[in-house]
Coordinates of all heavy atoms in Angstrom, one line a residue:
Chain A
E170 N -21.8 -2.0 -40.5 CA -21.9 -1.4 -39.1 C -22.4 -2.5 -38.1 O -22.0 -2.5 -37.0 CB -22.9 -0.2 -39.2 CG -22.7 0.7 -38.0 CD -21.3 1.2 -37.7 OE1 -20.5 1.4 -38.7 OE2 -21.0 1.5 -36.5
A171 N -23.3 -3.4 -38.6 CA -23.8 -4.4 -37.7 C -22.6 -5.3 -37.3 O -22.5 -5.8 -36.2 CB -24.9 -5.2 -38.4
I172 N -21.7 -5.6 -38.3 CA -20.6 -6.5 -37.9 C -19.7 -5.8 -36.9 O -19.2 -6.4 -36.0 CB -19.8 -6.9 -39.2 CG1 -20.6 -7.8 -40.1 CG2 -18.5 -7.5 -38.8 CD1 -20.0 -8.1 -41.5
R173 N -19.5 -4.5 -37.1 CA -18.7 -3.7 -36.1 C -19.3 -3.7 -34.7 O -18.6 -3.9 -33.7 CB -18.6 -2.2 -36.6 CG -17.6 -2.1 -37.7 CD -17.4 -0.6 -38.1 NE -16.9 -0.6 -39.5 CZ -17.6 -0.1 -40.5 NH1 -18.8 0.5 -40.4 NH2 -17.1 -0.1 -41.7
D174 N -20.6 -3.6 -34.6 CA -21.3 -3.7 -33.4 C -21.1 -5.1 -32.8 O -20.8 -5.2 -31.6 CB -22.9 -3.5 -33.6 CG -23.7 -3.6 -32.3 OD1 -23.3 -4.4 -31.4 OD2 -24.7 -2.8 -32.2
W175 N -21.2 -6.1 -33.6 CA -21.0 -7.5 -33.1 C -19.6 -7.8 -32.6 O -19.4 -8.4 -31.6 CB -21.4 -8.5 -34.2 CG -21.6 -9.9 -33.8 CD1 -22.1 -10.3 -32.5 CD2 -21.4 -11.1 -34.5 NE1 -22.1 -11.7 -32.5 CE2 -21.7 -12.2 -33.7 CE3 -21.0 -11.3 -35.9 CZ2 -21.7 -13.5 -34.2 CZ3 -20.9 -12.6 -36.3 CH2 -21.2 -13.7 -35.4
I176 N -18.6 -7.3 -33.4 CA -17.2 -7.4 -32.9 C -17.1 -6.8 -31.5 O -16.4 -7.3 -30.7 CB -16.3 -6.7 -33.9 CG1 -16.2 -7.4 -35.3 CG2 -14.8 -6.6 -33.3 CD1 -15.4 -6.7 -36.3
T177 N -17.7 -5.7 -31.3 CA -17.6 -4.9 -30.0 C -18.4 -5.6 -28.9 O -17.9 -5.5 -27.8 CB -18.0 -3.5 -30.3 OG1 -17.3 -3.0 -31.4 CG2 -17.6 -2.6 -29.0
N178 N -19.5 -6.1 -29.2 CA -20.5 -6.6 -28.2 C -20.8 -8.1 -28.2 O -21.9 -8.5 -27.9 CB -21.7 -5.8 -28.3 CG -21.5 -4.3 -28.1 OD1 -21.0 -3.8 -27.1 ND2 -21.8 -3.5 -29.2
C179 N -19.8 -8.9 -28.8 CA -20.2 -10.3 -29.0 C -20.5 -11.1 -27.8 O -21.2 -12.1 -27.9 CB -19.0 -11.0 -29.8 SG -17.4 -10.8 -29.1
D180 N -20.2 -10.7 -26.6 CA -20.5 -11.5 -25.4 C -22.0 -11.6 -25.2 O -22.5 -12.7 -25.0 CB -19.9 -10.8 -24.2 CG -18.4 -10.9 -24.1 OD1 -17.9 -11.8 -24.8 OD2 -17.7 -10.2 -23.3
D181 N -22.7 -10.5 -25.3 CA -24.1 -10.6 -25.0 C -25.1 -10.4 -26.2 O -26.3 -10.4 -26.0 CB -24.5 -9.6 -23.9 CG -24.3 -8.1 -24.4 OD1 -23.8 -7.9 -25.5 OD2 -24.9 -7.2 -23.7
T182 N -24.5 -10.2 -27.4 CA -25.3 -9.8 -28.5 C -25.4 -10.9 -29.6 O -24.4 -11.6 -29.9 CB -24.7 -8.5 -29.2 OG1 -24.7 -7.5 -28.2 CG2 -25.5 -8.1 -30.4
F183 N -26.6 -11.1 -30.1 CA -26.8 -12.1 -31.2 C -27.1 -11.3 -32.5 O -28.0 -10.4 -32.5 CB -28.0 -13.0 -30.9 CG -28.1 -14.1 -31.8 CD1 -27.7 -15.4 -31.4 CD2 -28.6 -14.0 -33.1 CE1 -27.8 -16.5 -32.2 CE2 -28.7 -15.1 -33.9 CZ -28.3 -16.4 -33.5
Y184 N -26.3 -11.5 -33.5 CA -26.5 -10.9 -34.8 C -27.4 -11.7 -35.6 O -27.0 -12.8 -36.1 CB -25.1 -10.7 -35.4 CG -25.2 -10.0 -36.8 CD1 -26.3 -9.2 -37.2 CD2 -24.1 -10.0 -37.7 CE1 -26.3 -8.6 -38.4 CE2 -24.1 -9.4 -38.9 CZ -25.2 -8.7 -39.3 OH -25.3 -8.1 -40.5
V185 N -28.6 -11.1 -35.9 CA -29.6 -11.8 -36.7 C -29.4 -11.4 -38.1 O -29.8 -10.4 -38.5 CB -31.0 -11.5 -36.2 CG1 -32.1 -12.2 -37.0 CG2 -31.2 -11.7 -34.7
I186 N -28.7 -12.2 -38.9 CA -28.4 -11.9 -40.3 C -29.7 -12.3 -41.1 O -30.3 -13.4 -40.9 CB -27.2 -12.6 -40.9 CG1 -25.9 -12.1 -40.1 CG2 -27.0 -12.4 -42.4 CD1 -24.6 -12.6 -40.6
G187 N -30.1 -11.5 -42.0 CA -31.3 -11.6 -42.7 C -31.3 -12.5 -44.0 O -32.3 -12.8 -44.5
T188 N -30.1 -12.8 -44.4 CA -30.1 -13.6 -45.7 C -29.1 -14.7 -45.6 O -28.4 -14.9 -44.6 CB -29.8 -12.7 -46.9 OG1 -30.0 -13.4 -48.1 CG2 -28.4 -12.1 -46.9
V189 N -28.9 -15.5 -46.7 CA -28.1 -16.7 -46.7 C -26.6 -16.2 -47.0 O -25.9 -16.9 -47.7 CB -28.6 -17.7 -47.7 CG1 -29.8 -18.4 -47.2 CG2 -28.8 -17.1 -49.1
A190 N -26.2 -15.1 -46.4 CA -24.9 -14.6 -46.6 C -24.1 -14.6 -45.2 O -24.7 -15.2 -44.3 CB -24.9 -13.2 -47.2
G191 N -23.0 -14.0 -45.2 CA -22.2 -13.9 -43.9 C -21.4 -15.1 -43.8 O -21.3 -16.0 -44.6
P192 N -20.6 -15.2 -42.7 CA -19.7 -16.3 -42.4 C -20.5 -17.5 -42.0 O -21.6 -17.4 -41.5 CB -18.8 -15.8 -41.3 CG -19.7 -14.8 -40.5 CD -20.5 -14.1 -41.6
H193 N -19.9 -18.7 -42.3 CA -20.5 -19.9 -41.8 C -20.7 -19.8 -40.3 O -19.8 -19.3 -39.7 CB -19.5 -21.1 -42.1 CG -19.9 -22.4 -41.6 ND1 -21.0 -23.1 -42.1 CD2 -19.5 -23.1 -40.5 CE1 -21.1 -24.2 -41.4 NE2 -20.3 -24.3 -40.5
P194 N -21.7 -20.3 -39.6 CA -22.8 -21.1 -40.2 C -24.0 -20.3 -40.8 O -25.0 -21.0 -41.0 CB -23.2 -21.9 -39.0 CG -23.1 -21.0 -37.8 CD -21.8 -20.1 -38.2
Y195 N -24.0 -19.0 -40.9 CA -25.2 -18.3 -41.3 C -25.8 -18.8 -42.6 O -27.0 -19.0 -42.6 CB -24.9 -16.8 -41.3 CG -24.9 -16.1 -40.0 CD1 -23.8 -15.9 -39.3 CD2 -26.1 -15.8 -39.3 CE1 -23.8 -15.3 -38.0 CE2 -26.2 -15.2 -38.1 CZ -25.0 -15.0 -37.4 OH -25.0 -14.4 -36.2
P196 N -25.1 -18.9 -43.7 CA -25.7 -19.3 -44.9 C -26.5 -20.6 -44.8 O -27.6 -20.7 -45.3 CB -24.6 -19.5 -45.9 CG -23.5 -18.6 -45.4 CD -23.6 -18.7 -43.9
T197 N -25.9 -21.6 -44.0 CA -26.6 -22.8 -43.9 C -27.8 -22.7 -42.9 O -28.9 -23.2 -43.2 CB -25.6 -23.9 -43.3 OG1 -24.5 -23.9 -44.1 CG2 -26.2 -25.3 -43.2
M198 N -27.6 -22.0 -41.8 CA -28.6 -21.9 -40.8 C -29.8 -21.1 -41.4 O -31.0 -21.5 -41.2 CB -28.0 -21.1 -39.6 CG -28.9 -20.9 -38.4 SD -28.0 -20.2 -37.0 CE -27.7 -18.5 -37.6
V199 N -29.6 -20.0 -42.1 CA -30.7 -19.2 -42.6 C -31.4 -20.0 -43.7 O -32.7 -20.0 -43.7 CB -30.2 -17.9 -43.2 CG1 -31.3 -17.1 -43.8 CG2 -29.5 -17.0 -42.1
R200 N -30.7 -20.8 -44.5 CA -31.4 -21.7 -45.5 C -32.3 -22.7 -44.7 O -33.4 -22.9 -45.1 CB -30.3 -22.4 -46.3 CG -31.0 -23.4 -47.3 CD -30.0 -24.5 -47.7 NE -29.6 -25.3 -46.5 CZ -28.5 -26.1 -46.5 NH1 -27.7 -26.1 -47.6 NH2 -28.2 -26.8 -45.5
D201 N -31.7 -23.3 -43.7 CA -32.5 -24.3 -42.9 C -33.8 -23.7 -42.4 O -34.9 -24.3 -42.5 CB -31.7 -24.9 -41.8 CG -30.6 -25.8 -42.3 OD1 -30.5 -26.1 -43.5 OD2 -29.7 -26.2 -41.5
F202 N -33.7 -22.5 -41.8 CA -34.9 -21.9 -41.2 C -35.9 -21.5 -42.4 O -37.1 -21.5 -42.1 CB -34.6 -20.6 -40.4 CG -33.9 -20.9 -39.1 CD1 -32.8 -20.2 -38.6 CD2 -34.3 -22.0 -38.3 CE1 -32.2 -20.4 -37.4 CE2 -33.7 -22.3 -37.1 CZ -32.7 -21.5 -36.6
Q203 N -35.4 -21.1 -43.5 CA -36.3 -20.8 -44.6 C -36.7 -22.0 -45.4 O -37.6 -21.8 -46.3 CB -35.6 -19.8 -45.6 CG -35.3 -18.4 -45.0 CD -36.6 -17.6 -44.7 OE1 -37.7 -18.1 -45.0 NE2 -36.5 -16.4 -44.2
S204 N -36.2 -23.1 -45.2 CA -36.5 -24.3 -46.0 C -38.0 -24.7 -45.8 O -38.5 -25.5 -46.6 CB -35.6 -25.5 -45.7 OG -35.8 -25.9 -44.4
V205 N -38.6 -24.2 -44.8 CA -40.0 -24.4 -44.6 C -40.8 -24.0 -45.8 O -41.8 -24.7 -46.2 CB -40.5 -23.7 -43.3 CG1 -40.4 -22.2 -43.4 CG2 -42.0 -24.1 -43.0
I206 N -40.3 -23.0 -46.5 CA -41.0 -22.6 -47.8 C -41.1 -23.7 -48.8 O -42.1 -24.1 -49.3 CB -40.3 -21.4 -48.4 CG1 -40.3 -20.2 -47.4 CG2 -41.0 -20.9 -49.7 CD1 -39.4 -19.0 -47.9
G207 N -39.9 -24.3 -49.1 CA -39.8 -25.3 -50.2 C -40.4 -26.6 -49.7 O -41.1 -27.3 -50.5
V208 N -40.2 -26.9 -48.5 CA -40.8 -28.2 -48.0 C -42.3 -28.2 -48.0 O -42.9 -29.2 -48.5 CB -40.3 -28.5 -46.5 CG1 -41.0 -29.7 -45.9 CG2 -38.7 -28.7 -46.5
E209 N -42.9 -27.1 -47.6 CA -44.3 -27.0 -47.7 C -44.8 -27.0 -49.1 O -45.8 -27.7 -49.5 CB -44.8 -25.6 -47.1 CG -45.2 -25.6 -45.6 CD -45.6 -24.2 -45.2 OE1 -46.0 -23.4 -46.0 OE2 -45.5 -24.0 -43.9
A210 N -44.1 -26.2 -49.9 CA -44.6 -26.0 -51.3 C -44.5 -27.4 -52.0 O -45.4 -27.7 -52.8 CB -43.7 -25.0 -52.0
R211 N -43.5 -28.2 -51.8 CA -43.4 -29.5 -52.4 C -44.6 -30.4 -52.1 O -45.2 -31.0 -52.9 CB -42.1 -30.2 -52.0 CG -41.8 -31.4 -52.8 CD -40.5 -32.0 -52.3 NE -40.0 -33.1 -53.3 CZ -40.5 -34.3 -53.3 NH1 -41.4 -34.6 -52.4 NH2 -40.1 -35.2 -54.1
R212 N -44.9 -30.4 -50.8 CA -46.0 -31.2 -50.3 C -47.3 -30.7 -50.9 O -48.2 -31.4 -51.4 CB -46.1 -31.2 -48.8 CG -47.2 -32.0 -48.2 CD -47.2 -32.2 -46.7 NE -46.9 -30.9 -46.0 CZ -47.8 -29.9 -45.8 NH1 -48.9 -30.0 -46.3 NH2 -47.4 -28.9 -45.1
Q213 N -47.5 -29.4 -50.9 CA -48.7 -28.8 -51.4 C -48.9 -29.0 -52.9 O -50.0 -29.3 -53.4 CB -48.7 -27.2 -51.1 CG -48.8 -26.9 -49.7 CD -48.6 -25.4 -49.4 OE1 -47.6 -24.9 -49.9 NE2 -49.4 -24.8 -48.6
M214 N -47.8 -29.0 -53.7 CA -47.8 -29.3 -55.1 C -48.4 -30.7 -55.3 O -49.2 -30.9 -56.2 CB -46.4 -29.1 -55.7 CG -46.0 -27.7 -56.0 SD -47.0 -26.8 -57.2 CE -47.0 -27.9 -58.6
L215 N -47.8 -31.6 -54.6 CA -48.2 -33.0 -54.7 C -49.7 -33.2 -54.4 O -50.4 -33.9 -55.0 CB -47.3 -33.9 -53.9 CG -45.9 -34.0 -54.4 CD1 -45.0 -34.8 -53.4 CD2 -45.8 -34.7 -55.8
E216 N -50.1 -32.6 -53.3 CA -51.5 -32.6 -52.8 C -52.5 -32.0 -53.8 O -53.5 -32.6 -54.2 CB -51.7 -31.9 -51.5 CG -51.2 -32.7 -50.3 CD -51.1 -31.9 -49.0 OE1 -51.6 -30.7 -49.0 OE2 -50.5 -32.4 -48.0
K217 N -52.1 -30.9 -54.3 CA -53.0 -30.1 -55.1 C -53.0 -30.4 -56.6 O -54.0 -30.5 -57.3 CB -52.7 -28.6 -54.9 CG -53.9 -27.7 -55.2 CD -53.6 -26.3 -54.7 CE -54.6 -25.3 -55.3 NZ -54.3 -23.9 -54.9
Y218 N -51.8 -30.7 -57.1 CA -51.6 -30.9 -58.5 C -51.1 -32.4 -58.9 O -51.0 -32.7 -60.0 CB -50.7 -29.9 -59.1 CG -51.2 -28.5 -59.0 CD1 -50.7 -27.7 -57.9 CD2 -52.1 -28.0 -59.8 CE1 -51.2 -26.4 -57.7 CE2 -52.6 -26.7 -59.7 CZ -52.1 -25.9 -58.6 OH -52.5 -24.6 -58.4
G219 N -50.8 -33.1 -57.8 CA -50.3 -34.5 -58.0 C -49.0 -34.6 -58.7 O -48.6 -35.6 -59.2

Side-chain angles (χ1 to χ4, degrees):
Chain A
E170 200 54 33
I172 293 174
R173 288 183 199 114
D174 181 323
W175 194 29
I176 292 175
T177 310
N178 302 299
C179 54
D180 288 342
D181 68 345
T182 296
F183 191 103
Y184 180 17
V185 183
I186 296 185
T188 190
V189 287
H193 175 73
Y195 280 99
T197 307
M198 183 171 73
V199 176
R200 177 203 62 200
D201 290 351
F202 288 139
Q203 290 294 0
S204 67
V205 63
I206 301 171
V208 170
E209 265 181 24
R211 188 178 192 281
R212 180 172 45 73
Q213 291 169 315
M214 281 298 306
L215 291 173
E216 280 168 12
K217 205 167 165 185
Y218 299 98

